Amino acid sequence: MRSPGRPAPSKAVQRQFWRLIATGITSAEAAIAVGVSVPVGMRWFRHAGGMTPLSLTEPSGRYLSFEEREEIALMRAKGKGVREIARELGRDPGTISRELRRNAATRSGKSEYRALVAQWKAQESAKRPKVAKLVVNDALREYVQDRLAGKVRRPDGTAVEGPTPPPWKGLNKPHRADRCWSLAWSPEQISRLKIDFPDDESMRISPEAIYQSLFIEGRGALKRELVACLRTGRALRQPRERSRNKPQGHVTADVVLSERPAEAADRAVPGHWEGDLIIGTGRSAIGTLIERSSRSTMLVQLPRLEGWGEQPVVKNGPALGGYGALAMNAALAASLTTLPVQLRQTLTWDRGKELSGHAQLTLDTGTRVFFADPHSPWQRPTNENTNGLLRQYFPKGTDLSRWSAEDLEAVALALNNRPRKILGWRTPAEVFAEQLSSLQQPGVASTG
């Protein structure tokens, strides 16, 4: 067996590394936690494509662990015999004898037992590499490659070249530039081979096997560049918990959705709002505010600030696109303060940084701000539905800064005068008017 030089860390260490990755921490943090250098941890993650390359279940007790090998090395250095070591470890003497004979280090010209070398030798001997299906099955490999990277064609069969993308560099965000036009089937769509080849059992592959061939170096026969044909275009798979645990310093424990008053959830009491942005080209946006009880809509104009497009963007400088934190606070406060105090109790927003100044907004308007959980649009259902309706007037890919406040008011008026089935075919404007009239009673303040 070849000399390992300095043997790699044991699989036990690597398993612990991948368990920590699964909790959502970074490669550098996981590497430090298991006692390896940061470059080693980042290399493990990159070469594995962000996917766990080994089983995280611990080996059964029939195999010697790294800790036991360390004990063997210590007792052997003290001159203890095979049977004495076996008694102390609770192992059969034959197991200890074979371990000392097979896995001892011989680089110095004599047999010397070292735990690290013994662990490396045992791991190398235990390998049972299985050839990937895409390596040995040419027809299957060609089918997968064609569905991933096949040409987009016109109805007459001629290929459409599409844009010319820059050279693939293996970066994790290649979709920020032009991407190659291809059939771009997802691995799950490709795996429907039972329909195309109902009688050929050799033409079968799982979506996960395709992902592994794309992401893990040396696994399968697909070129790594084909990850650009996936919808996300990522060169590395992002662990699910890591995407959920992105740092968002403006969301503290007292403003998460679970802290929102219960009366906001059942929609029985008016004055609880949902909010979000609809985004256009050139950093343009429109703010949307939807009242949960009446489904009434307010649209907030977010014009670009002075200096937009006239000077280069400054990192960490003021946001001139119209929905920076300061501009967002000012625009929302101007809209919310037109309402009676009783009709601006809470505002539920997604986790966008545009509302990072929510504490000041609460002081200015008296409206408590709460943030939905990450990747949970169903927690703001009325807002999401209304944003879909608004795309009829403000399509994606258009400049939204061209519309004046009067234009937005007209669109909001059109939506608020549409009858809604959920309201018994009444309009949001009618229901909202009833809410306002209920507040117009003697001794009840109507403005903030």
Side-chain angles (χ1 to χ4, degrees):
M1 183 177 289
R2 66 174 179 82
S3 170
R6 178 172 181 173
S10 69
K11 284 190 175 181
V13 174
Q14 296 181 44
R15 285 192 193 93
Q16 184 60 21
F17 172 83
W18 286 104
R19 289 194 189 101
L20 292 172
I21 290 293
T23 65
I25 68 175
T26 65
S27 307
E29 293 169 337
I32 293 171
V34 301
V36 300
S37 67
V38 171
V40 168
M42 296 180 70
R43 186 165 61 246
W44 284 352
F45 187 85
R46 186 176 64 254
H47 287 183
M51 303 173 67
T52 306
L54 71 168
S55 173
L56 297 184
T57 57
E58 292 292 343
S60 64
R62 61 175 293 197
Y63 301 104
L64 289 173
S65 66
F66 180 63
E67 290 75 14
E68 288 177 309
R69 289 190 168 96
E70 287 182 320
E71 292 294 328
I72 292 172
L74 289 173
M75 288 188 278
R76 195 64 177 167
K78 293 178 181 178
K80 294 185 178 181
V82 170
R83 293 187 178 277
E84 187 177 359
I85 296 174
R87 279 195 302 271
E88 293 200 22
L89 292 180
R91 292 284 187 173
D92 186 88
T95 300
I96 305 301
S97 178
R98 283 192 299 273
E99 174 68 16
L100 293 172
R101 184 174 68 254
R102 292 176 178 175
N103 296 331
T106 57
R107 189 176 184 182
S108 61
K110 59 181 180 179
S111 179
E112 184 177 356
Y113 190 84
R114 299 192 188 101
L116 199 60
V117 175
Q119 182 71 20
W120 173 79
K121 283 191 170 185
Q123 290 174 182
E124 290 295 309
S125 300
K127 284 183 178 178
R128 301 291 185 270
K130 182 180 179 181
V131 180
K133 186 180 287 188
L134 292 177
V135 174
V136 297
N137 191 330
D138 294 337
L140 181 60
R141 182 175 65 253
E142 290 176 5
Y143 180 91
V144 172
Q145 287 184 157
D146 182 65
R147 295 310 183 274
L148 277 171
K151 294 284 187 180
V152 173
R153 298 184 180 277
R154 298 186 179 92
D156 61 2
T158 57
V160 180
E161 293 300 326
T164 302
W168 190 77
K169 299 180 180 179
L171 300 178
N172 206 29
K173 296 290 184 182
H175 57 281
R176 294 190 182 277
D178 282 334
R179 299 177 64 183
C180 182
W181 284 10
S182 66
L183 294 182
W185 285 29
S186 71
E188 190 172 14
Q189 291 168 334
I190 295 172
S191 65
R192 57 152 234 170
L193 288 110
K194 284 186 178 180
I195 298 175
D196 293 343
F197 304 95
D199 301 322
D200 190 351
E201 291 295 327
S202 67
M203 296 294 287
R204 303 285 186 271
I205 192 167
S206 68
E208 188 64 17
I210 299 174
Y211 280 120
Q212 290 184 4
S213 296
L214 290 171
F215 285 123
I216 301 179
E217 290 187 10
R219 177 74 62 86
L222 299 178
K223 293 182 179 180
R224 191 79 182 276
E225 291 85 345
L226 291 181
V227 296
C229 298
L230 298 176
R231 181 184 61 80
T232 62
R234 291 194 185 103
L236 300 173
R237 175 180 275 184
Q238 186 176 25
R240 183 175 300 169
E241 288 301 320
R242 183 178 295 181
S243 66
R244 291 174 178 171
N245 292 343
K246 288 181 180 177
Q248 294 166 319
H250 66 289
V251 182
T252 53
D254 58 326
V255 294
V256 295
L257 190 71
S258 58
E259 298 297 317
R260 189 177 68 177
E263 64 182 27
D266 59 16
R267 302 177 186 264
V269 179
H272 301 281
W273 298 76
E274 297 175 6
D276 196 10
L277 297 178
I278 53 175
I279 306 295
T281 57
R283 299 285 296 175
S284 61
I286 296 173
T288 62
L289 295 173
I290 318 299
E291 206 278 316
R292 286 175 56 82
S293 178
S294 66
R295 276 71 174 180
S296 182
T297 301
M298 293 176 64
L299 298 183
V300 181
Q301 187 193 29
L302 299 170
R304 298 190 182 109
L305 303 185
E306 184 179 355
W308 166 261
E310 300 174 1
Q311 54 192 22
V313 178
V314 179
K315 186 175 182 180
N316 297 325
L320 304 179
Y323 55 98
L326 294 178
M328 197 73 210
N329 270 15
L332 287 178
S335 296
L336 289 172
T337 51
T338 63
L339 301 169
V341 175
Q342 294 89 338
L343 291 184
R344 43 184 163 102
Q345 300 296 317
T346 68
L347 171 62
T348 303
W349 205 267
D350 69 359
R351 299 226 166 181
K353 291 293 183 67
E354 66 273 2
L355 217 61
S356 57
H358 60 87
Q360 186 61 46
L361 178 65
T362 300
L363 291 175
D364 294 340
T365 65
T367 304
R368 298 179 61 192
V369 179
F370 298 92
F371 293 92
D373 296 331
H375 313 292
S376 304
W378 58 88
Q379 294 177 348
R380 299 176 298 103
T382 309
N383 190 214
E384 290 292 325
N385 178 66
T386 305
N387 285 354
L389 298 177
L390 287 168
R391 283 300 184 184
Q392 180 178 355
Y393 302 94
F394 312 112
K396 293 181 180 180
T398 61
D399 184 0
L400 303 183
S401 65
R402 54 184 168 158
W403 305 114
S404 66
E406 291 76 16
D407 296 328
L408 301 187
E409 185 179 7
V411 173
L413 184 65
L415 286 186
N416 289 335
N417 282 283
R418 288 185 185 180
R420 301 287 184 92
K421 183 178 180 180
I422 192 77
L423 301 176
W425 298 113
R426 293 186 298 167
T427 67
E430 293 170 346
V431 177
F432 194 69
E434 290 179 6
Q435 295 173 351
L436 283 174
S437 64
S438 67
L439 299 176
Q440 306 296 330
Q441 299 175 6
V444 177
S446 60
T447 57

